[in-house]
């Protein structure tokens, strides 16, 4: 299929390219506006002059205009281009903020987190989104969407990752328009009464009430958590072990309300409303009811961005079914992309959920028919099984590069999870919606609770069995951006060859495979030639690592924590072997003498080039500096903050470089020789 023949697909591609370029340039709003005006005039001029007789020039100008609109759309989201954004106000240590809760994030062990819209800063009307963190040990931290707060706080930039190849939460939140966070105690928070409710706030209230109604019934903890995720998009109550089990089994997509759930709901509603097609104007009524049902489902699921995205996409798919134009399904998917990125939020393009959702849908639309043409079993049961397997293979091919890049793992038994669960997901969703309705009306019978709880427990058990086959879970796979692009190129080339085999297309596929292999080999050689020593950041613990080629020697007194903090580093640097060594107090590296001063605070006399302070040693740093005369002081994450501030001040006064891993991240030494213990 020649996809670029479809105009909506061309428009979507150029729009996405414009968004990406605008995101990378971070230009002011003037530049994309000028370009948009230029291309708009260029679009009108040849059309008026030639009366539409030059379609090629018109097409070039149209695509250029869409590209510029994409740049302008993403530029409008940058704080520097928003006139009254709070970042343009004078920032002091403690300020008065008035905010409105927009989204409740998943809590961690230490705090509850929210994304809030800033309304006022020191009584001045401003705008912008901010991250709020409240201590876990208080009931006051349980805020809801649309709650309005007045609080005293100090806005600080969200911290970047402190260890290499770690998940970049700062970048993730930045792509959502959130640049700062406020950590505030509860004695500085006032909750305003009778806040103005938004549509999302009403949706959150409805969802909260549904969850309260469900908790009145004897569902198991795991089953209730899975039910909330399946039907309400609420994953915060899923036990961590259960979530990891679904992840290992390649079935984690079942726990997120996404295109799979909405697509099944669309087919279910279409099947229930099929009799309407026989009456006059029945198809119109069917379309309206279908779209209302989809958006009603989005409403009870809290109108989260992922749910809105999925429902928007399948609303366009419902339109395609109404028009009976399945051959142009790509057009409607492209139209949904245009609508989401232009009307809802262009920043969604950089969200993992958006990328994986559309990659899976496009792969199913494109690859599934080819697999069905390749083999059509005559046996009905075998045919249905092959259809499900074809959908799973197509979807996994679409998301394979993204899964390897973001999660560095591949569950080889994904098709078993999908064959065991997906055929019954329609029943599970339909029955779940019935359970929610009856629970909301307070007429949910006990036998239905037991039946549905048993179904969910069986699903959890099946997923657990698949996840238990750890031999088929390939994890910690090194995979970078270059490999991501090349693997997408390989998959696209492979599908084109299967679609219409030709020698030149096969040659392109072979070149793509060779390019992937060559790039991977080059990356392995490059990392093998890199030697370095790293002081990692870990709270309450000290971890050093020496990389030599593709081997890592870890120096720590806690091997389990040492492995945990360096896993991402080992994946990113393509480490194939590692070993552990106990920490010593003195080392020699490249002829430089390194001293580690721990909690005992004992150190020898003599000269040391670098001193690493760990475990909050009670030392007089002035005396230590005079005695050892080091050229640099390093403090890792095992020290008290009060000690670090004092050491930093002392080093600044004596003009000695000070590096704290909690502020500046890991510390690197370039290595030419092996790290040696002075005692040897």
């Amino acid at each position: 299929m020649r996809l670029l023949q479809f105009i909506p697909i061309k428009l979507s591609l150029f729009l996405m390219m414009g968004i990406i370029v605008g995101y990378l340039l971070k230009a002011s709003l003037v530049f994309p506006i000028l370009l948009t005006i230029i291309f708009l005039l260029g679009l009108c001029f040849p059309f008026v002059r030639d009366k539409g007789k030059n379609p090629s020039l018109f097409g070039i100008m149209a695509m250029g205009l869409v590209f510029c609109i994409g740049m302008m759309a993403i530029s409008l989201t940058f704080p520097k281009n928003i006139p009254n954004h709070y970042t343009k106000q004078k920032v002091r240590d403690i300020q008065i903020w008035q905010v409105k809760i927009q989204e409740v994030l998943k809590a961690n062990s230490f705090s509850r987190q929210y994304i809030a819209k800033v309304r006022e800063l020191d009584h001045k009307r401003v705008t912008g989104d901010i991250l709020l963190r409240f201590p876990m040990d208080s009931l006051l931290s349980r805020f809801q969407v649309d709650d309005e707060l007045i609080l005293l706080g100090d806005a600080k930039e969200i911290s970047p990752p402190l260890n290499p190849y770690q998940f970049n939460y700062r970048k993730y939140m930045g792509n959502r328009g959130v640049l700062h966070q406020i950590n505030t105690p509860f004695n500085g928070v006032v909750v305003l009464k009778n806040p103005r409710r938004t549509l999302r706030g009403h949706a959150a209230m409805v969802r909260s009430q549904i969850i309260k109604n469900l908790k009145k019934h004897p569902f198991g903890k795991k089953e209730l958590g899975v039910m909330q995720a399946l039907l309400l998009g609420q994953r915060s109550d899923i036990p961590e072990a259960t979530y990891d089990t679904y992840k290992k089994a390649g079935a984690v997509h079942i726990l997120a309300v996404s295109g799979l759930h909405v697509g099944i709901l669309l087919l279910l509603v279409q099947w229930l409303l099929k009799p309407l097609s026989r009456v006059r104007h029945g198809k119109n009524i069917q379309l309206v009811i279908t779209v209302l049902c989809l958006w009603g489902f989005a409403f009870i699921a809290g109108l989260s961005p992922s749910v809105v995205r999925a429902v928007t996409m399948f609303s366009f798919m419902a339109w395609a079914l109404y028009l009976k134009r399945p051959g142009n399904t790509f057009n409607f998917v492209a139209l949904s992309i245009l609508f989401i990125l232009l009307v809802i939020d262009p920043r969604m393009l950089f969200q993992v959920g958006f990328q994986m959702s559309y990659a899976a849908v496009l792969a199913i639309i494109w690859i599934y028919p080819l697999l069905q043409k390749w083999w059509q079993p005559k046996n009905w049961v075998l045919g249905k099984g092959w259809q499900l397997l074809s959908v799973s293979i197509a979807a996994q091919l679409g998301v394979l590069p993204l899964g390897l890049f973001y999660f560095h793992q591949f569950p080889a038994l994904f098709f078993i999870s999908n064959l065991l669960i997906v055929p019954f997901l329609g029943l599970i969703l339909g029955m779940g919606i019935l359970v929610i309705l009856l629970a909301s009306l307070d007429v949910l019978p006990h036998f239905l609770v037991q039946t549905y709880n048993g179904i969910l427990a069986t699903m959890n058990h099946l997923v657990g069995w698949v996840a238990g086959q750890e031999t088929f879970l390939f994890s910690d796979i090194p995979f970078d951006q270059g490999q991501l692009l090349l693997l997408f190129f390989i998959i696209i080339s492979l599908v084109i060859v299967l679609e219409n085999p030709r020698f030149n297309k096969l040659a392109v596929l072979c070149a793509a495979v060779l390019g992937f292999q060559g790039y991977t080999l080059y990356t392995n050689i490059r990392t093998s030639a890199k030697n370095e020593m790293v002081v990692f950041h870990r709270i309450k613990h000290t971890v050093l690592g020496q990389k030599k080629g593709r081997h890592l020697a870890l120096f720590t007194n806690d091997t389990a924590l040492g492995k945990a903090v360096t896993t991402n580093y080992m994946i990113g640097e393509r480490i194939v072997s590692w070993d552990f060594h106990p920490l010593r107090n003195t080392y020699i590296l490249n002829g430089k003498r390194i001293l580690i001063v721990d909690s005992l605070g004992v150190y020898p006399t003599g000269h040391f080039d670098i001193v690493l302070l760990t475990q909050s040693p009670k030392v007089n740093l002035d005396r230590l500096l005079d005695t050892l005369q080091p050229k640099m002081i390093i403090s890792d994450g095992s020290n008290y903050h009060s000690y670090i501030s004092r050491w930093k001040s002392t080093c600044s006064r004596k003009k000695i470089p000070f590096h704290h891993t909690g502020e500046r991240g890991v510390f690197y030494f370039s290595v030419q020789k092996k790290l040696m213990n002075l005692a040897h």
Side-chain angles (χ1 to χ4, degrees), residues 160-226:
L162 298 174
N163 288 310
Y165 303 103
Q166 212 172 29
F167 173 67
N168 195 333
Y169 192 65
R170 178 178 184 170
K171 183 178 180 181
Y172 168 76
M173 294 304 293
N175 287 338
R176 300 186 63 179
V178 181
L179 305 179
H180 294 80
Q181 66 180 25
I182 298 178
N183 298 325
T184 184
F186 287 104
N187 56 10
V189 178
V190 175
V191 182
L192 299 180
K193 295 182 179 180
N194 302 319
R196 189 174 63 86
R197 293 291 174 186
T198 63
L199 183 62
R200 182 175 289 183
H202 286 296
M205 289 178 62
V206 170
R207 183 170 66 173
S208 296
Q209 187 59 48
I210 289 172
I211 293 173
K212 287 180 183 178
N213 293 333
L214 291 174
K215 286 182 177 179
K216 296 177 183 178
H217 300 276
F219 290 104
K221 183 178 179 181
K222 293 181 182 178
E223 289 70 32
L224 184 60
V226 170

Side-chain angles (χ1 to χ4, degrees), residues 413-472:
L413 294 181
F414 69 89
F415 57 92
I416 293 181
S417 303
N418 287 292
L419 284 175
L420 292 175
I421 297 173
V422 173
F424 307 102
L425 197 56
L427 172 65
I428 294 171
L429 288 175
M431 195 172 178
I433 292 172
L434 177 62
V435 166
I436 287 175
L437 290 174
L438 294 178
S440 300
L441 297 172
D442 202 20
V443 291
L444 179 61
H446 184 68
F447 82 89
L448 190 56
V449 173
Q450 289 184 315
T451 303
Y452 197 59
N453 192 78
I455 291 172
L456 294 178
T458 303
M459 183 174 73
N460 289 341
H461 178 74
L462 290 173
V463 172
W465 176 81
V466 175
Q469 316 306 311
E470 295 187 359
T471 307
F472 298 95

Side-chain angles (χ1 to χ4, degrees), residues 493-602:
S493 302
L494 175 62
V495 176
I496 290 174
V497 168
L498 293 175
E499 196 175 39
N500 187 15
R502 291 288 187 273
F503 176 78
N504 58 342
K505 296 177 181 179
L506 184 61
V508 172
L509 173 61
C510 292
V513 173
L514 290 174
F516 181 86
Q517 292 176 329
Y519 178 83
T520 303
L521 180 62
Y522 162 75
T523 307
N524 289 338
I525 292 173
R526 185 185 62 188
T527 54
S528 297
K530 182 180 177 182
N531 299 324
E532 63 186 10
M533 178 185 169
V534 184
V535 180
F536 291 96
H537 177 76
R538 176 73 188 191
I539 297 175
K540 298 181 180 180
H541 293 276
T542 298
V543 182
L544 308 181
Q546 184 186 17
K547 177 185 179 296
K548 190 172 184 181
R550 300 183 71 182
H551 176 80
L552 181 66
L554 286 170
F555 299 86
T556 180
N557 292 328
D558 192 322
T559 56
L561 286 173
K563 178 66 165 60
V565 78
T566 58
T567 296
N568 292 324
Y569 176 80
M570 287 193 278
I571 295 172
E573 292 293 336
R574 301 172 187 265
I575 300 297
V576 295
S577 62
W578 61 89
D579 53 20
F580 293 93
H581 305 273
L583 274 172
R584 305 296 182 187
N585 290 105
T586 53
Y587 295 96
I588 294 179
L589 179 67
N590 299 337
K592 294 183 178 180
R593 292 159 59 90
I594 302 172
L595 174 67
I596 298 179
V597 181
D598 57 21
S599 58
L600 297 176
V602 178

